[in-house]
Amino acid sequence: MTSVAAYAAPSAKAPLERTTIERRAVREHDVLIDIKFAGICHSDIHQAHEGWGKAIFPMVPGHEIAGIVSEVGPGVTKYQVGDRVGVGCLVDSCRECDNCKAGLEQHCTGGSVGTYNAIGKDGEPTYGGYSEKVVVDENFVVRIPDGLSLDVAAPLLCAGITTYSPLKHWGAGPGKKVAVIGLGGLGHMGVKIAHALGAEVTVLSQSLRKKDDGLKLGADHYYATSDPKTFEELAGSFDLILSTVSAPLDFGAYLSLLRTGGALVNVGAPEEPVALNLFSLIGGNKTLAGSMIGGIAETQEMLDFCAVHGFGAEIEVISADQINEAYKRVLDSDVRYRFVIDTATI
Ligand SMILES: [Zn+2]
Ligand SMILES: [Zn+2]
C-alpha cells in the first residue's frame, strides 16, 4: 500500500477537500501511474452530488486520467516505466462475457468496475484521478501517442471516446451531414471528431453565443434551437444527430430534422424520462439510439485518430484548490470546454 494525496468529497454535496488515500501495491499485471492531469467530467459532479443514486464516500472523482508509468508488475507486457498513458471510465471487467470478448467492456454482463465510486474485484473501493498516483491493470490502460500533450489528452478518455464511438458506429464521414446538439465538454469533441472524420457538421445550440468557437472547432454551420425557424429550415436534412446534452429535449422535434433512415444518438443522460410520439420514428424509418463511452481497444483507436489529426480537447488548466469553483462553473455551463486539474498542485 502507498499513501497518496488526493482531493475527495467526504459526503454527498460536500465540497471536495485535500486528503490522503491508500493505493494498492502493484500486482502481477498492474502499472503504477504518476498522474499528471485529470479532466473534470460533468458525471463527476452528478456522482459527487448523488444525482445518479447512492454513491460511495469518501469519493475521489476523475476518469479522464493522463500520466506517466512509474512502476510495472512482473507480468506486465504492454507498458514500461516512462510510457505516457491514460485511464478512462473503467479499471476492470469480467473479461469472459460476450461483451468483454467483443471489446465492449463498458457493457460487461459480469460487472465492469468504474474508475471511482465503485468496488473492485478485490472488494476495495476504487478512487479516481484527482490524486497523485493510481494503480491499474495494464489491460485497462491506454497509450497516449507522442503527438498529444498529456493535458489536452486527458479529456479524450471520457469526452473523446463518448463521442467518437457513436460517430464511428453510425457512419459519420464524407458525404454525411451530421448535427451535434450542445457545444459543451462532449459536444465540442463531437464537432472536432465528426469534422476530422470528413462529415459536414452542424452545431445545434440553444443560442448563437458560442458560434465563433463552433466554427473554429470545425463546424460548417451553426444554428440556434431557441429560434423556431431553425426547425423549419433544417427539416429532413441530417443523416445523423448526436445529442450531448443532459437536459430533457423535445426528441420529436429533433427527429424531424433527420432524413429518411437517419439516426439520433443520445449520449447525454437526463435524470428524468422523456415522452415521445412514436410516429416521429415510424414516419421515415428513423432510429433513436444510445451509446455509452467505448471499449478499451476503441479508446486506443480514438487516441491514435486524434493524434493523427493533431487535436486534443480545448481545456482550461486549474490547480486542485480551484476544483470546487470549477464544479460551480461546469453547472453554469461556464467552461470552454473542459477543466483539467494539474495534479502537481494536489
Ligand atoms: Zn465522464
Ligand atoms: Zn465481461
Side-chain angles (χ1 to χ4, degrees):
M1 302 275 264
T2 316
S3 291
V4 302
Y7 262 69
S11 60
K13 297 195 172 81
L16 276 72
E17 54 192 41
R18 191 177 188 282
T19 185
T20 49
I21 54 169
E22 298 297 319
R23 293 295 191 187
R24 68 175 184 250
V26 169
R27 299 174 189 152
E28 180 85 12
H29 295 286
D30 281 344
V31 298
L32 174 66
I33 301 168
D34 287 351
I35 300 173
K36 299 298 180 189
F37 295 97
I40 294 180
C41 175
H42 205 142
S43 62
D44 297 347
I45 304 172
H46 281 297
Q47 293 181 77
H49 291 181
E50 283 195 328
W52 289 346
K54 194 151 174 54
I56 301 164
F57 294 96
M59 182 190 298
V60 178
H63 57 207
E64 295 183 337
I65 299 170
I68 310 276
V69 174
S70 60
E71 188 184 337
V72 297
V76 169
T77 58
K78 297 178 181 169
Y79 299 101
Q80 296 180 332
V81 171
D83 283 354
R84 305 163 80 250
V85 294
V87 177
C89 302
L90 304 177
V91 290
D92 207 351
S93 72
C94 85
R95 312 176 197 206
E96 290 168 356
C97 71
D98 289 347
N99 287 339
C100 282
K101 285 181 179 159
L104 296 168
E105 297 90 351
Q106 75 275 31
H107 300 300
C108 172
T109 53
S112 59
V113 178
T115 302
Y116 66 87
N117 191 23
I119 301 293
K121 305 283 184 199
D122 57 5
E124 297 294 326
T126 59
Y127 296 116
Y130 300 4
S131 64
E132 294 174 311
K133 297 169 193 284
V134 64
V135 178
V136 182
D137 183 293
E138 64 169 334
N139 294 301
F140 290 80
V141 174
V142 287
R143 188 175 296 280
I144 295 178
D146 286 339
L148 281 176
S149 306
L150 294 179
D151 53 358
V152 300
L156 301 179
L157 277 308
C158 175
I161 186 60
T162 296
T163 49
Y164 178 86
S165 183
L167 286 167
K168 275 295 292 273
H169 183 84
W170 293 95
K176 294 294 171 73
K177 293 189 177 181
V178 174
V180 176
I181 305 175
L183 194 68
L186 290 174
H188 97 285
M189 286 312 308
V191 169
K192 285 186 168 204
I193 291 167
H195 174 70
L197 286 166
E200 183 179 333
V201 183
T202 299
V203 175
L204 301 174
S205 184
Q206 274 184 311
S207 73
L208 297 178
R209 191 166 57 92
K210 299 180 190 166
K211 182 176 177 181
D212 290 347
D213 277 10
L215 298 179
K216 267 187 234 148
L217 293 168
D220 301 284
H221 316 283
Y222 202 107
Y223 286 86
T225 54
S226 53
D227 182 352
K229 286 205 293 289
T230 292
F231 289 87
E232 289 169 30
E233 197 179 325
L234 298 177
S237 61
F238 298 111
D239 299 284
L240 174 63
I241 300 175
L242 180 68
S243 174
T244 68
V245 301
S246 51
L249 287 181
D250 179 353
F251 280 98
Y254 286 92
L255 286 163
S256 75
L257 305 184
L258 288 173
R259 284 180 174 165
T260 300
L264 192 168
V265 186
N266 187 66
V267 296
E271 291 178 8
E272 298 298 321
V274 295
L276 177 65
N277 184 330
L278 292 181
F279 280 105
S280 53
L281 289 175
I282 294 167
N285 289 8
K286 293 170 184 173
T287 302
L288 176 60
S291 183
M292 186 175 82
I293 48 177
I296 303 301
E298 193 176 37
T299 302
Q300 185 65 63
E301 177 189 310
M302 175 276 308
L303 287 168
D304 296 343
F305 175 87
C306 290
V308 164
H309 290 272
F311 67 84
E314 301 299 308
I315 59 166
E316 189 175 326
V317 176
I318 61 166
S319 57
D321 60 5
Q322 295 174 293
I323 292 172
N324 292 305
E325 183 192 333
Y327 272 25
K328 286 198 195 82
R329 287 183 53 196
V330 170
L331 293 174
D332 291 340
S333 300
D334 176 24
V335 50
R336 294 191 180 188
Y337 283 84
R338 207 61 150 178
F339 288 115
V340 171
I341 304 160
D342 176 354
T343 56
T345 62
I346 292 176

